């Protein structure tokens, strides 16, 4: 019953009008007044931000803030994959029967996530990891590894919440939200899918690096609002590090897996 009520409420409020109102306010000069209280509410470390608080002209500008170069050191080991974002590790592991499992064991089909059986076939029995970005997190995305961008494409139209409530009661937002898939080639012809999932009524996923070559740790884009990143790996190509735990916080540049 709770799940059905939640889904109906979200359907009623999630539309172009509500998205436009939300984005218009966040980008307005009036929203600047809320930056300091926003940073205090979420415990954001302003010492690592690249600009002073008063230099931001809107809440959206602060939300998509850049950090000082030294704030996120990158693990330089060439065999190591690093987190592309500041996030909580929502889930990770091995895919079984082409399904990713997340909150409350809600199944997410690889075909739904990637948009076709052909795309999904590459990752059969492979590994997956889900990074959830909260409103408090740094929202710029970085390359997890030195890679070649083989293909990029867009799926989905609307973006529903991907927070704990959204994952539990929503209509599989990770595999149905507006999302951008980047197919990466790294190491010795290994393939990975880097999936950027829109959230909270706003579909804005902005690419800041449109080149075909990504260098580990360099910025590739940002989310305009809280969201999720999913990465998929082919079978027997990576191993998650022993100290990686579900539910833990991870920062961009920190190691989470090694190549096999």
């Amino acid at each position: 019953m709770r799940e059905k009520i939640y889904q109906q409420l979200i359907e009623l409020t999630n539309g172009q009008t509500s998205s436009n109102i939300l984005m218009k306010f966040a980008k307005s000069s009036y929203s600047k007044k809320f930056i300091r209280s926003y940073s205090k509410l979420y415990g954001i470390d302003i010492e690592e931000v690249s600009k002073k608080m008063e230099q931001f002209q809107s809440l959206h500008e602060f939300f998509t803030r850049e950090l000082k170069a030294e704030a996120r050191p990158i693990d330089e080991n060439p065999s190591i994959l690093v987190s592309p974002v500041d996030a909580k590790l929502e889930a990770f592991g091995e895919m079984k029967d082409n399904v990713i499992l997340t909150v409350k064991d809600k199944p997410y089909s690889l075909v739904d996530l990637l948009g076709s059986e052909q795309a999904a076939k590459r990752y059969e029995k492979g590994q997956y990891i889900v990074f959830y970005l909260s409103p408090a997190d740094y929202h710029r995305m970085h390359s997890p590894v030195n890679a070649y961008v083989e293909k990029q494409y867009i799926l989905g139209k609307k973006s529903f919440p991907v927070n704990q409530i959204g994952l539990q009661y929503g209509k599989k937002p990770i595999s149905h939200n507006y999302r951008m898939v980047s197919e990466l080639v790294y190491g010795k012809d290994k393939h990975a899918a880097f999936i950027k999932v829109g959230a909270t009524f706003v579909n804005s996923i902005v690419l800041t690096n449109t080149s075909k070559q990504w260098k580990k740790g360099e910025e590739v884009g940002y989310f305009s609002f809280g969201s999720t990143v999913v990465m998929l790996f082919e079978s027997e190509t990576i191993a998650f590090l022993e100290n990686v735990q579900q539910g833990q916080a991870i920062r961009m540049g920190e190691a989470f897996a090694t190549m096999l």
Side-chain angles (χ1 to χ4, degrees), residues 75 80-81 92 239-245 254-258:
D75 190 313
I80 288 292
L81 288 94
F92 67 93
F240 293 111
L241 301 182
E242 291 184 1
N243 63 339
V244 172
Q245 301 293 325
E254 293 180 343
F256 70 87
T258 186

Side-chain angles (χ1 to χ4, degrees), residues 21-133:
I21 291 172
L22 184 60
M23 183 60 79
K24 187 174 181 179
F25 167 75
K27 289 186 174 181
S28 71
S29 57
Y30 180 76
S31 69
K32 180 179 180 179
K33 299 177 182 180
F34 297 89
I35 293 176
R36 195 166 295 278
S37 58
Y38 181 91
S39 65
K40 288 181 179 179
L41 176 65
Y42 288 109
I44 295 170
D45 183 3
I46 61 174
E47 294 300 318
E48 65 182 19
V49 179
S50 63
K51 296 196 300 186
K52 294 180 179 179
M53 299 282 278
E54 56 270 20
Q55 292 179 296
F56 290 98
Q57 299 305 306
S58 69
L59 185 58
H60 176 265
E61 191 176 310
F62 179 72
F63 190 86
T64 58
R65 62 194 175 275
E66 296 179 344
L67 302 182
K68 296 174 181 175
E70 65 274 15
R72 296 291 183 274
I74 309 299
D75 190 313
E76 297 294 346
N77 186 328
S79 297
I80 288 292
L81 288 94
V82 301
S83 177
V85 288
D86 281 12
K88 182 182 80 170
L89 295 183
E90 189 65 50
F92 67 93
E94 182 178 333
M95 287 172 279
K96 298 178 181 178
D97 300 322
N98 291 336
V99 166
I100 297 174
L101 299 179
T102 58
V103 177
K104 300 296 183 183
D105 291 335
K106 181 172 288 189
Y108 284 89
S109 160
L110 266 182
V111 174
D112 286 346
L113 185 63
L114 294 174
S116 72
E117 291 185 5
Q118 182 179 359
K121 189 172 181 62
R122 169 170 280 163
Y123 301 103
E124 287 180 355
K125 299 180 181 179
Q127 307 282 87
Y128 74 94
I129 186 165
V130 181
F131 301 90
Y132 166 66
L133 288 76

Side-chain angles (χ1 to χ4, degrees), residues 95 97-100 106-121 123 153-157 171-181 193 195-197 230 232:
M95 287 172 279
D97 300 322
N98 291 336
V99 166
I100 297 174
K106 181 172 288 189
Y108 284 89
S109 160
L110 266 182
V111 174
D112 286 346
L113 185 63
L114 294 174
S116 72
E117 291 185 5
Q118 182 179 359
K121 189 172 181 62
Y123 301 103
Y153 56 96
I154 299 289
L155 295 169
K157 294 181 179 180
K171 294 181 179 180
K172 301 184 179 180
I174 290 177
S175 61
H176 288 73
N177 275 13
Y178 173 89
R179 57 204 182 277
M180 180 183 293
V181 181
I195 306 164
K196 301 160 282 294
V197 184
V230 180
L232 307 176

Side-chain angles (χ1 to χ4, degrees), residues 8-27 157-161 199-203 225:
Q8 289 175 341
L9 286 173
I10 289 298
E11 288 287 356
L12 285 171
T13 58
N14 186 51
Q16 190 64 46
T17 301
S18 58
S19 297
N20 288 341
I21 291 172
L22 184 60
M23 183 60 79
K24 187 174 181 179
F25 167 75
K27 289 186 174 181
K157 294 181 179 180
K158 291 185 177 182
S159 292
F160 299 98
T200 318
F201 316 139
V202 179
N203 290 342
F225 280 88

